[in-house]
């Protein structure tokens, strides 16, 4: 009975789909390769290098440039996932049991792809570091919150803002593990996961209905995917762009001033003030 209840639990259902989608081939985005490709049209080699070594914000890349790069990535992923969804709708009613689970996996896989791309553009750290297929709890937590933002959960917006604020203060290059797995943000993660599990079931039903008629179902399915994927990706982009973490910053170069006392012919030498010394 306990196992049956766990399967019916929306929170567990979403978590299982999230982890399964993260293990699909081609879903995980290599941060360095992506940033290099996404920024190549808009940034110098030095800016790209600094964006990879640190973050796009630390490299001083403007929000306007990030906006253009983000739109390129959103359009690419939306076109791809819509084409795959339309193809999955072709067989019609008799093949629904096989095509719907595959389509949902592809759909969430492409959501994960755009989540990673937007996160890296807007100065979040590598979400899948290392070579393991496992998804650690902190990564699972922040991905759940990102999905929550995409689905319009206000609590997810606030939680993502708190995580970003903590990272901005600490100048961290990895996710705050404790905050996402034990701290005040963790209960929000669980609540958002439950909400997403319910929404996922509704979306799955809508896709099943759209695929009931061959060919027509393909057109409807592809259009339905595009109509949902684009607004959700844009919603996440807008929220990430509004956070302090992504604001362009510039390094402050500290210059050591060394005073050199030279002999003068007179017995009195006027000492330069701070402004004069700085301008020399």
């Amino acid at each position: 009975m306990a196992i049956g209840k766990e399967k019916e639990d929306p929170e567990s259902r979403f978590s299982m789909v999230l982890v399964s989608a993260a293990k699909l081939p081609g879903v995980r985005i290599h941060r360095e390769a992506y940033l290099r490709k996404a920024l190549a049209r808009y940034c110098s080699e030095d800016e790209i290098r600094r964006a990879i070594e640190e973050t796009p914000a630390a490299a001083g890349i403007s929000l306007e440039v990030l906006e253009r790069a983000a739109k390129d990535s959103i359009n690419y992923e939306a076109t791809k996932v819509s084409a795959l969804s339309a193809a999955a709708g072709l067989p019609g009613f008799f093949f629904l049991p096989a095509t719907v689970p595959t389509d949902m996996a592809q759909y969430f896989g492409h959501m994960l792809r755009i989540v990673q791309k937007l996160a890296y553009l807007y100065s979040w750290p590598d979400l899948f570091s290392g070579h393991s297929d496992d998804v650690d709890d902190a990564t699972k937590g922040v991905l759940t919150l990102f999905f929550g933002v995409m689905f319009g959960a206000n609590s997810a917006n606030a939680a993502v803002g708190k995580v970003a604020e903590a990272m901005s203060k600490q100048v961290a290059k990895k996710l705050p593990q404790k905050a996402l797995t034990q701290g005040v943000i963790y209960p929000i993660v669980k609540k958002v996961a439950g909400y997403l599990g319910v929404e996922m079931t509704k979306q799955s039903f809508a896709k099943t209905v759209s695929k009931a008629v061959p060919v027509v179902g393909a057109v409807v399915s592809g259009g339905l995917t595009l109509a949902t994927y684009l607004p959700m990706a844009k919603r996440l982009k807008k929220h990430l762009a509004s956070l302090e973490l992504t604001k362009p910053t510039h390094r402050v170069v500290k210059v050591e001033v060394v005073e050199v006392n030279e002999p003068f012919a007179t017995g009195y030498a006027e000492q330069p003030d701070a402004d004069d010394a700085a301008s020399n």
Side-chain angles (χ1 to χ4, degrees):
M1 292 295 291
I3 296 175
K5 286 182 179 179
E6 184 177 352
K7 287 183 179 179
E8 293 301 319
D9 177 34
E11 179 190 334
S12 299
R13 188 185 308 126
F14 171 76
S15 295
M16 286 189 292
V17 171
L18 178 64
V19 172
S20 298
K23 294 180 179 180
L24 290 174
V27 166
R28 300 192 182 191
I29 302 297
H30 189 275
R31 179 180 175 275
E32 178 178 345
Y34 169 68
L35 285 177
R36 184 169 296 282
K37 183 176 181 180
L39 299 175
R41 294 173 56 189
Y42 309 108
C43 302
S44 67
E45 180 59 33
D46 184 58
E47 287 175 323
I48 294 173
R49 177 184 57 78
R50 287 177 56 187
I52 292 170
E53 292 178 355
E54 301 176 56
T55 64
I61 298 175
S62 70
L63 290 176
E64 289 76 13
V65 167
L66 296 178
E67 170 87 6
R68 290 198 289 270
K71 284 183 177 179
D72 291 342
S73 293
I74 289 173
N75 290 336
Y76 173 82
E77 294 295 337
T79 300
K80 194 170 181 180
V81 72
S82 297
L84 289 172
S85 181
L90 286 173
F93 180 80
F94 292 105
F95 293 91
L96 281 177
T99 59
V100 171
T102 301
D103 189 31
M104 285 300 293
Q106 290 175 340
Y107 186 81
F108 275 85
H110 277 276
M111 285 183 70
L112 271 177
R113 282 177 59 86
I114 195 59
V115 161
Q116 293 170 82
K117 289 183 175 184
L118 293 175
Y120 299 153
L121 281 175
Y122 290 111
S123 296
W124 287 73
D126 199 336
L127 300 176
F128 293 107
S129 56
H131 302 287
S132 174
D133 286 339
D134 294 333
V135 183
D136 63 51
D137 290 338
T139 297
K140 191 189 304 182
V142 81
L143 289 175
T144 298
L145 295 177
F146 285 161
F147 273 62
V149 172
M150 296 175 85
F151 275 83
N154 290 330
S155 58
N157 285 9
V160 168
K162 289 183 180 297
V163 175
E165 183 180 0
M167 291 178 58
S168 182
K169 288 180 179 179
Q170 298 173 8
V171 197
K173 290 190 175 181
K174 64 178 183 179
L175 296 172
Q177 299 276 335
K178 187 174 182 179
L180 286 163
T181 59
Q182 301 174 26
V184 294
I185 297 174
Y186 181 62
I188 303 176
V189 172
K190 291 175 66 66
K191 181 180 178 181
V192 171
Y195 166 76
L196 291 172
V198 173
E199 291 300 307
M200 183 180 68
T201 303
K202 293 178 182 177
Q203 196 171 77
S204 178
F205 177 76
K207 286 178 176 291
T208 301
V209 173
S210 74
K211 289 180 172 63
V213 181
V215 183
V216 175
V219 177
V220 174
S221 178
L224 177 65
T225 297
L226 187 63
T228 55
Y229 189 94
L230 269 177
M232 288 194 294
K234 290 178 178 179
R235 189 178 293 129
L236 178 61
K237 174 181 69 68
K238 182 179 179 180
H239 186 59
L240 293 182
S242 70
L243 302 175
E244 192 66 28
L245 184 68
T246 196
K247 299 296 187 294
T249 57
H250 300 275
R251 288 176 174 168
V252 177
V253 180
K254 294 183 179 179
V255 180
E256 184 179 355
V257 178
V258 180
E259 292 185 3
V260 179
N261 296 321
E262 297 181 354
F264 289 89
T266 62
Y268 169 77
E270 182 180 357
Q271 296 296 321
D273 60 28
D275 291 337
D276 290 337
S279 61
N280 289 337

